[in-house]
Structure formats: C-alpha cells, structure tokens
Amino acid sequence: MSKPRSLIAGNWKMNGLSADGWALADAIVQGARDLPAGRAELLVCPPATLIGLVAEAVTGSPVALGGQDCHADRSGAHTGDVSAAMLADLGCRYVIVGHSERRADHGESSATVRAKAEAAQAAGLSAIVCVGETWAEREAGKTEEVVTAQVAESLPAASTSGNLVVAYEPVWAIGSGRTATPEQVAEVHALIRRQLGSRMDDAGAVRILYGGSVKPANAVELLAVAHVDGALVGGSSLKAGDFLAIAAAAPAQAG
Ligand code: 13P
C-alpha cells in the first residue's frame, strides 16, 4: 500500500494575539501556493481565541484548521472548556487530543483522551491522538510498554483512517531541540502501525505523525522514515517560512 498523503500540522500552543495570528495564517496561506501540488496537507491549530480569525484567513485555501483540545461533552456546565461541536462550527476539521502538555498540566488520563477523541469523531472531526514516552520511561526501557498502553487506551473503537490521526511525540523531544533519531522514530512508528493493524481494517491509511523539535534542518530525514506520514510541529510552526519549509520536505506520494 502506498504511503498516505503527509499531514503537516502546526500546533501553535498558547501563542499569538490577533495581529500575530492573522499574519501567521496569512503568510502560510500565501506560501502554500508555492508548494508542490498535492504533496502535503497543511493544518494549523491556533489557540481557541484565534480560531475564528484564522478560519477567515484560511477560507478558500487548502490550509485546514484544527483545535488543540476539546471537552468530551457536546455542551454543558464546563466553564472555560470548548466542545468538538464548537470547533466544527468554526470550520475546524481536526482537533489534537492527549498532547503530553495536557496529560501533564491537566492530569488527563488515556481514558479522558479517548472520551475526547470519541467526542471529536462524533462531531465530524478527525482526532489527532498524541502518545509518547518520557525520558525516564525511555531510559528504563519502557518505551514500547508506555506507547502500546497509550494507544490501546486512548483510541476510540470506531476509529478509521478518515477520523483518526496518531501523533508520536516523545515527551523529551518536545521543545527541547533534542529530536528522536530516525531509528528511534522508525521503531515506535512501526510498533504503532502494527497495533493499529490489530484493531482496524484500514490501518495502513491512518496517518502517524512524528512530533518533537521538527525543524527545516531535520524534516527531510524524519519525514522519509517508514510509517511517518507527517509531522506535528510546535515551535517551528510559529514561523511561516520554517513551517512551509517543513511542508516542502514531505516526500512525493506514489498515489
Ligand atoms: P516542538 O516542535 O516545539 O518541539 O513541539 C512539538 C509539539 O509538542 C507539537 O505538538
């Protein structure tokens, strides 16, 4: 089976006010026109406050929009939270769930992440479910155990390649400038692919993204690794030039 089309996703995290958000989204939309046609799908995930504004900036462009988190409920008494239906209403097609910063900062368990992913899928969004080990877990030889458990417990049963993306983000590689080696990435992505294969029919078409200090200088190498179908980019997604350079590094698709 041919590789799925790469997804290059920018997670802006808690960055940007209106003017910056508009300028960044606009620069990405303009620059996307110069990318090789059909090579990669571009996605921007601004903070919730900027989604409406960025939706305007990307309208009519091939750049997709996503949220960074959603609540598991559709609506109700959850002060400060945003539902998947609200994101869909603003034009989002994706939402990141289970990012390690949310697992750490908000104590989210894999069961919570799974409930959020189910809510996303029910609202018509694709859930980008993040998994990844800490450095202590890797040092203890527990990478496979941790990632396997996170995948088993965080993915909704009804997932398909149309409503699920998995992102492998080793916690120690996030924002650290310390990228996983292609060998480390290959090993975990193959593990995730095998695990998907044991639970879904179209596992080969599910995109598995790598995230953690992806930048233009290492994107070609990382995106060429087997079972790497794109990148989830933090810091480098805040500079349009860097984000576009990462997108340009996506390998050409066979079909
Ligand atoms: P950095 O690219 O800044 O390491 O962040 C990765 C990440 O957490 C994307 O979700």
PDB file of all heavy atoms in Angstrom, residues 11 13 96 99-101 130 169 173-177 211-214 232-236, ligand 1:
ATOM      1  N   ASN A  11       1.026  23.104  15.649  1.00  0.00           N
ATOM      2  CA  ASN A  11       0.391  23.291  16.951  1.00  0.00           C
ATOM      3  C   ASN A  11       0.960  24.581  17.535  1.00  0.00           C
ATOM      4  O   ASN A  11       2.091  24.597  18.008  1.00  0.00           O
ATOM      5  CB  ASN A  11       0.704  22.085  17.847  1.00  0.00           C
ATOM      6  CG  ASN A  11       0.168  22.257  19.255  1.00  0.00           C
ATOM      7  OD1 ASN A  11      -0.544  23.217  19.545  1.00  0.00           O
ATOM      8  ND2 ASN A  11       0.512  21.323  20.143  1.00  0.00           N
ATOM      9  N   LYS A  13       0.151  26.075  20.121  1.00  0.00           N
ATOM     10  CA  LYS A  13       0.103  26.081  21.592  1.00  0.00           C
ATOM     11  C   LYS A  13      -0.459  27.421  22.091  1.00  0.00           C
ATOM     12  O   LYS A  13      -1.308  28.005  21.416  1.00  0.00           O
ATOM     13  CB  LYS A  13       1.485  25.754  22.161  1.00  0.00           C
ATOM     14  CG  LYS A  13       2.023  24.427  21.582  1.00  0.00           C
ATOM     15  CD  LYS A  13       3.224  23.881  22.278  1.00  0.00           C
ATOM     16  CE  LYS A  13       3.647  22.571  21.612  1.00  0.00           C
ATOM     17  NZ  LYS A  13       4.789  21.951  22.280  1.00  0.00           N
ATOM     18  N   ILE A  96      -6.497  18.233  18.143  1.00  0.00           N
ATOM     19  CA  ILE A  96      -5.458  17.485  18.846  1.00  0.00           C
ATOM     20  C   ILE A  96      -6.031  17.076  20.208  1.00  0.00           C
ATOM     21  O   ILE A  96      -6.640  17.904  20.894  1.00  0.00           O
ATOM     22  CB  ILE A  96      -4.218  18.384  19.072  1.00  0.00           C
ATOM     23  CG1 ILE A  96      -3.638  18.865  17.738  1.00  0.00           C
ATOM     24  CG2 ILE A  96      -3.155  17.649  19.894  1.00  0.00           C
ATOM     25  CD1 ILE A  96      -2.625  20.016  17.896  1.00  0.00           C
ATOM     26  N   HIS A  99      -2.371  15.628  24.033  1.00  0.00           N
ATOM     27  CA  HIS A  99      -0.999  16.153  23.975  1.00  0.00           C
ATOM     28  C   HIS A  99      -0.352  15.975  25.346  1.00  0.00           C
ATOM     29  O   HIS A  99      -1.015  16.126  26.376  1.00  0.00           O
ATOM     30  CB  HIS A  99      -1.024  17.630  23.570  1.00  0.00           C
ATOM     31  CG  HIS A  99       0.334  18.134  23.205  1.00  0.00           C
ATOM     32  ND1 HIS A  99       1.278  18.446  24.153  1.00  0.00           N
ATOM     33  CD2 HIS A  99       0.924  18.346  22.006  1.00  0.00           C
ATOM     34  CE1 HIS A  99       2.394  18.833  23.539  1.00  0.00           C
ATOM     35  NE2 HIS A  99       2.199  18.783  22.230  1.00  0.00           N
ATOM     36  N   SER A 100       0.930  15.711  25.362  1.00  0.00           N
ATOM     37  CA  SER A 100       1.588  15.438  26.653  1.00  0.00           C
ATOM     38  C   SER A 100       1.507  16.637  27.588  1.00  0.00           C
ATOM     39  O   SER A 100       1.522  16.482  28.810  1.00  0.00           O
ATOM     40  CB  SER A 100       3.042  15.033  26.445  1.00  0.00           C
ATOM     41  OG  SER A 100       3.750  16.041  25.760  1.00  0.00           O
ATOM     42  N   GLU A 101       1.410  17.857  27.003  1.00  0.00           N
ATOM     43  CA  GLU A 101       1.275  19.028  27.878  1.00  0.00           C
ATOM     44  C   GLU A 101      -0.079  19.024  28.574  1.00  0.00           C
ATOM     45  O   GLU A 101      -0.208  19.495  29.706  1.00  0.00           O
ATOM     46  CB  GLU A 101       1.498  20.306  27.051  1.00  0.00           C
ATOM     47  CG  GLU A 101       2.975  20.463  26.690  1.00  0.00           C
ATOM     48  CD  GLU A 101       3.255  21.249  25.429  1.00  0.00           C
ATOM     49  OE1 GLU A 101       2.352  21.923  24.907  1.00  0.00           O
ATOM     50  OE2 GLU A 101       4.406  21.164  24.953  1.00  0.00           O
ATOM     51  N   CYS A 130      -2.357  12.051  20.589  1.00  0.00           N
ATOM     52  CA  CYS A 130      -0.913  12.079  20.852  1.00  0.00           C
ATOM     53  C   CYS A 130      -0.517  11.029  21.886  1.00  0.00           C
ATOM     54  O   CYS A 130      -1.218  10.842  22.890  1.00  0.00           O
ATOM     55  CB  CYS A 130      -0.502  13.443  21.396  1.00  0.00           C
ATOM     56  SG  CYS A 130      -0.902  14.804  20.303  1.00  0.00           S
ATOM     57  N   GLU A 169       4.825  11.648  19.879  1.00  0.00           N
ATOM     58  CA  GLU A 169       5.616  12.783  20.354  1.00  0.00           C
ATOM     59  C   GLU A 169       6.350  12.368  21.630  1.00  0.00           C
ATOM     60  O   GLU A 169       5.780  12.441  22.727  1.00  0.00           O
ATOM     61  CB  GLU A 169       4.713  13.977  20.667  1.00  0.00           C
ATOM     62  CG  GLU A 169       3.986  14.531  19.463  1.00  0.00           C
ATOM     63  CD  GLU A 169       3.653  16.008  19.647  1.00  0.00           C
ATOM     64  OE1 GLU A 169       3.176  16.410  20.725  1.00  0.00           O
ATOM     65  OE2 GLU A 169       3.895  16.757  18.709  1.00  0.00           O
ATOM     66  N   ALA A 173      11.495  15.068  23.558  1.00  0.00           N
ATOM     67  CA  ALA A 173      11.901  15.738  22.309  1.00  0.00           C
ATOM     68  C   ALA A 173      11.096  17.016  22.061  1.00  0.00           C
ATOM     69  O   ALA A 173      11.387  17.758  21.125  1.00  0.00           O
ATOM     70  CB  ALA A 173      11.732  14.784  21.126  1.00  0.00           C
ATOM     71  N   ILE A 174      10.093  17.264  22.907  1.00  0.00           N
ATOM     72  CA  ILE A 174       9.216  18.416  22.683  1.00  0.00           C
ATOM     73  C   ILE A 174       9.852  19.686  23.220  1.00  0.00           C
ATOM     74  O   ILE A 174      10.171  19.774  24.410  1.00  0.00           O
ATOM     75  CB  ILE A 174       7.837  18.187  23.347  1.00  0.00           C
ATOM     76  CG1 ILE A 174       7.113  17.025  22.653  1.00  0.00           C
ATOM     77  CG2 ILE A 174       6.993  19.452  23.297  1.00  0.00           C
ATOM     78  CD1 ILE A 174       5.796  16.642  23.299  1.00  0.00           C
ATOM     79  N   GLY A 175      10.041  20.643  22.341  1.00  0.00           N
ATOM     80  CA  GLY A 175      10.557  21.953  22.745  1.00  0.00           C
ATOM     81  C   GLY A 175      11.961  21.903  23.315  1.00  0.00           C
ATOM     82  O   GLY A 175      12.422  22.866  23.926  1.00  0.00           O
ATOM     83  N   SER A 176      12.643  20.798  23.126  1.00  0.00           N
ATOM     84  CA  SER A 176      13.954  20.617  23.742  1.00  0.00           C
ATOM     85  C   SER A 176      15.093  20.769  22.750  1.00  0.00           C
ATOM     86  O   SER A 176      16.250  20.841  23.146  1.00  0.00           O
ATOM     87  CB  SER A 176      14.032  19.212  24.352  1.00  0.00           C
ATOM     88  OG  SER A 176      13.928  18.246  23.314  1.00  0.00           O
ATOM     89  N   GLY A 177      14.761  20.773  21.470  1.00  0.00           N
ATOM     90  CA  GLY A 177      15.789  20.783  20.450  1.00  0.00           C
ATOM     91  C   GLY A 177      16.443  19.414  20.310  1.00  0.00           C
ATOM     92  O   GLY A 177      17.364  19.204  19.532  1.00  0.00           O
ATOM     93  N   GLY A 211       6.263  14.103  16.156  1.00  0.00           N
ATOM     94  CA  GLY A 211       6.384  15.449  16.706  1.00  0.00           C
ATOM     95  C   GLY A 211       7.466  15.502  17.761  1.00  0.00           C
ATOM     96  O   GLY A 211       7.661  14.544  18.529  1.00  0.00           O
ATOM     97  N   GLY A 212       8.180  16.619  17.802  1.00  0.00           N
ATOM     98  CA  GLY A 212       9.246  16.814  18.787  1.00  0.00           C
ATOM     99  C   GLY A 212      10.452  17.431  18.117  1.00  0.00           C
ATOM    100  O   GLY A 212      11.243  16.738  17.488  1.00  0.00           O
ATOM    101  N   SER A 213      10.534  18.772  18.228  1.00  0.00           N
ATOM    102  CA  SER A 213      11.669  19.526  17.675  1.00  0.00           C
ATOM    103  C   SER A 213      11.876  19.296  16.174  1.00  0.00           C
ATOM    104  O   SER A 213      13.007  19.246  15.701  1.00  0.00           O
ATOM    105  CB  SER A 213      12.951  19.204  18.454  1.00  0.00           C
ATOM    106  OG  SER A 213      12.813  19.602  19.806  1.00  0.00           O
ATOM    107  N   VAL A 214      10.750  19.163  15.442  1.00  0.00           N
ATOM    108  CA  VAL A 214      10.862  19.102  13.977  1.00  0.00           C
ATOM    109  C   VAL A 214      11.162  20.503  13.470  1.00  0.00           C
ATOM    110  O   VAL A 214      10.534  21.473  13.890  1.00  0.00           O
ATOM    111  CB  VAL A 214       9.561  18.578  13.331  1.00  0.00           C
ATOM    112  CG1 VAL A 214       9.683  18.593  11.800  1.00  0.00           C
ATOM    113  CG2 VAL A 214       9.229  17.180  13.827  1.00  0.00           C
ATOM    114  N   LEU A 232       3.880  16.800  13.504  1.00  0.00           N
ATOM    115  CA  LEU A 232       3.149  17.711  14.383  1.00  0.00           C
ATOM    116  C   LEU A 232       4.209  18.666  14.935  1.00  0.00           C
ATOM    117  O   LEU A 232       5.104  18.258  15.678  1.00  0.00           O
ATOM    118  CB  LEU A 232       2.448  16.931  15.505  1.00  0.00           C
ATOM    119  CG  LEU A 232       1.568  17.730  16.461  1.00  0.00           C
ATOM    120  CD1 LEU A 232       0.547  18.593  15.722  1.00  0.00           C
ATOM    121  CD2 LEU A 232       0.826  16.790  17.409  1.00  0.00           C
ATOM    122  N   VAL A 233       4.103  19.916  14.510  1.00  0.00           N
ATOM    123  CA  VAL A 233       5.184  20.869  14.701  1.00  0.00           C
ATOM    124  C   VAL A 233       4.773  21.934  15.714  1.00  0.00           C
ATOM    125  O   VAL A 233       3.703  22.536  15.572  1.00  0.00           O
ATOM    126  CB  VAL A 233       5.511  21.561  13.347  1.00  0.00           C
ATOM    127  CG1 VAL A 233       6.745  22.440  13.484  1.00  0.00           C
ATOM    128  CG2 VAL A 233       5.690  20.531  12.233  1.00  0.00           C
ATOM    129  N   GLY A 234       5.596  22.170  16.713  1.00  0.00           N
ATOM    130  CA  GLY A 234       5.317  23.215  17.697  1.00  0.00           C
ATOM    131  C   GLY A 234       6.036  24.499  17.336  1.00  0.00           C
ATOM    132  O   GLY A 234       5.586  25.286  16.504  1.00  0.00           O
ATOM    133  N   GLY A 235       7.202  24.711  17.934  1.00  0.00           N
ATOM    134  CA  GLY A 235       7.935  25.973  17.779  1.00  0.00           C
ATOM    135  C   GLY A 235       8.116  26.419  16.334  1.00  0.00           C
ATOM    136  O   GLY A 235       7.895  27.590  16.009  1.00  0.00           O
ATOM    137  N   SER A 236       8.477  25.497  15.471  1.00  0.00           N
ATOM    138  CA  SER A 236       8.733  25.879  14.073  1.00  0.00           C
ATOM    139  C   SER A 236       7.454  26.189  13.298  1.00  0.00           C
ATOM    140  O   SER A 236       7.537  26.665  12.166  1.00  0.00           O
ATOM    141  CB  SER A 236       9.505  24.769  13.341  1.00  0.00           C
ATOM    142  OG  SER A 236      10.812  24.666  13.850  1.00  0.00           O
TER     143      SER A 236
HETATM  144  P1  13P B   1       8.155  21.412  19.298  1.00  0.00           P
HETATM  145  O1  13P B   1       8.126  21.288  17.780  1.00  0.00           O
HETATM  146  O2  13P B   1       8.253  22.823  19.754  1.00  0.00           O
HETATM  147  O3  13P B   1       9.178  20.510  19.877  1.00  0.00           O
HETATM  148  O4  13P B   1       6.739  20.909  19.829  1.00  0.00           O
HETATM  149  C1  13P B   1       6.248  19.693  19.382  1.00  0.00           C
HETATM  150  C2  13P B   1       4.848  19.558  19.838  1.00  0.00           C
HETATM  151  O5  13P B   1       4.580  19.424  21.014  1.00  0.00           O
HETATM  152  C3  13P B   1       3.794  19.623  18.824  1.00  0.00           C
HETATM  153  O6  13P B   1       2.570  19.245  19.337  1.00  0.00           O
END
